[in-house]
Amino acid sequence: MKKLLSILLVMALMVGMAACSAKDRLKQDIEQSNKECPTDLGDGLKITKFTYDEGSNECVAHLNFPPGIDVMELSSVEAEMKSGLLEAFSGGDKETREMIDLLADADAGLRFDITSGFNKKTYSISLSAAEIKKLQNK
């Protein structure tokens, strides 16, 4: 019985270390991605930076919308936006698949904080860790 508990403890530690290293890799990727920021996506939309939110275990993409667009209006189409994000990430190129795998391995979500050039308010929309894992399995 003691041997079984020892083996289970070692396995639990290994799983914990693997999860920790996945989060470390995610943080390193975020740092690397920031070297390419700000990135102009066209039509005045920019990715200004990426961060890692320890509290929610999410990679956060910070975007700026151009003046004239009130991002708070996005809340009225949140379901459609989330559906569009899931669809956009479900296919994807090699880099997108690698990002999804990295997020899933770190059991992390992905959040978009979108700041309006109109009134400087920020609207957030997230893909949970569970949604990321579903994308990984597609």
Side-chain angles (χ1 to χ4, degrees):
M1 183 66 159
K2 270 187 164 180
K3 189 173 184 177
L4 177 62
L5 287 175
S6 295
I7 291 171
L8 289 175
L9 179 60
V10 169
M11 288 174 62
L13 287 172
M14 289 173 62
V15 168
M17 286 189 292
C20 180
S21 65
K23 285 182 185 177
D24 289 342
R25 284 193 321 269
L26 177 60
K27 290 175 186 178
Q28 289 171 354
D29 249 34
I30 289 169
E31 282 181 31
Q32 190 65 32
S33 295
N34 275 325
K35 292 177 182 176
E36 299 174 24
C37 289
T39 303
D40 190 342
L41 301 175
D43 295 326
L45 180 63
K46 291 183 181 182
I47 297 176
T48 58
K49 66 181 176 179
F50 292 93
T51 57
Y52 177 73
D53 185 331
E54 289 277 350
S56 61
N57 190 30
E58 291 177 312
C59 173
V60 184
H62 298 266
L63 295 101
N64 281 351
F65 264 33
I69 298 177
D70 183 359
V71 297
M72 301 316 285
E73 293 176 9
L74 298 175
S75 63
S76 65
V77 291
E78 184 169 340
E80 293 85 351
M81 284 184 57
K82 192 163 208 170
S83 176
L85 285 171
L86 289 168
E87 186 175 322
F89 287 116
S90 67
D93 56 13
K94 182 182 176 202
E95 286 181 353
T96 301
R97 299 302 314 159
E98 287 173 356
M99 180 192 68
I100 294 297
D101 288 343
L102 184 58
L103 288 166
D105 291 347
D107 199 30
L110 178 61
R111 184 174 80 222
F112 297 89
D113 284 353
I114 308 164
T115 302
S116 174
F118 173 71
N119 57 14
K120 303 300 182 204
K121 290 185 179 180
T122 299
Y123 174 78
S124 297
I125 187 164
S126 297
L127 298 178
S128 69
E131 290 169 321
I132 296 292
K133 286 196 183 281
K134 283 183 187 176
L135 287 172
Q136 184 186 35
N137 296 323
K138 282 191 172 187

